[in-house]
Amino acid sequence: MSSTVELTKENFDQTVTDNGFVLIDFWAEWCGPCRQFAPVYEKAAEANPDLVFAKVDTEAQPELAAAFDIQSIPTLMIVRDQVAIFARPGALPAPALDDAIGWARKMDMDEVRRSVAAQQAENAGQAGDTE
């Protein structure tokens, strides 16, 4: 029994909206490193039942892969409070995955939101400068 959720373009937004902490593994069946990473990811999912561990099959869901500009697989993304705070290509070893989860758990999301808002305001200001 898998403890991960299969994400599709139909359930992606709802999953990310309904859950404050979602890890997403972008993968494909033909990808050797993806197959190597799968048991590490499953083990982490079992060890962290309070988090949502999801998978996006990039072959079946090319729109999602394109929307997140996934260039290589596997790529791990962590989304907290609907903000992508971590994205890294490559098959992470278990200690690195545990470190990434620990780092993401400690992330001050109020600070992240302030930073995102400041970046958006700066981008809006730059867009106004070009008119």
Side-chain angles (χ1 to χ4, degrees):
M1 167 102 188
S2 175
S3 52
T4 60
V5 175
E6 187 67 34
L7 289 182
T8 65
K9 62 184 179 186
E10 290 77 24
N11 71 355
F12 185 92
D13 289 341
Q14 191 72 45
T15 301
V16 171
T17 300
D18 290 351
N19 299 283
F21 199 124
V22 182
L23 292 93
I24 305 167
D25 173 22
F26 290 87
W27 70 284
E29 184 67 38
W30 53 262
C31 167
C34 297
R35 288 194 306 273
Q36 280 182 311
F37 182 57
V40 172
Y41 193 68
E42 285 289 334
K43 195 168 197 170
E46 291 166 12
N48 295 277
D50 58 318
L51 307 180
V52 173
F53 283 72
K55 295 176 85 65
V56 173
D57 180 343
T58 58
E59 293 290 303
Q61 301 297 323
E63 299 91 346
L64 284 178
F68 289 97
D69 197 28
I70 301 301
Q71 299 293 317
S72 71
I73 53 174
T75 290
L76 175 68
M77 182 175 290
I78 300 176
V79 179
R80 278 201 53 203
D81 300 343
Q82 301 177 42
V83 178
I85 61 170
F86 180 91
R88 183 153 157 203
L92 297 176
L97 178 55
D98 291 342
D99 288 349
I101 293 168
W103 171 85
R105 282 185 185 276
K106 293 176 189 164
M107 179 66 60
D108 180 345
M109 291 309 294
D110 290 333
E111 179 63 33
V112 169
R113 280 187 284 279
R114 283 191 291 276
S115 176
V116 168
Q119 184 66 44
Q120 288 173 337
E122 184 178 319
N123 289 347
Q126 289 173 354
D129 291 343
T130 61
E131 293 178 21

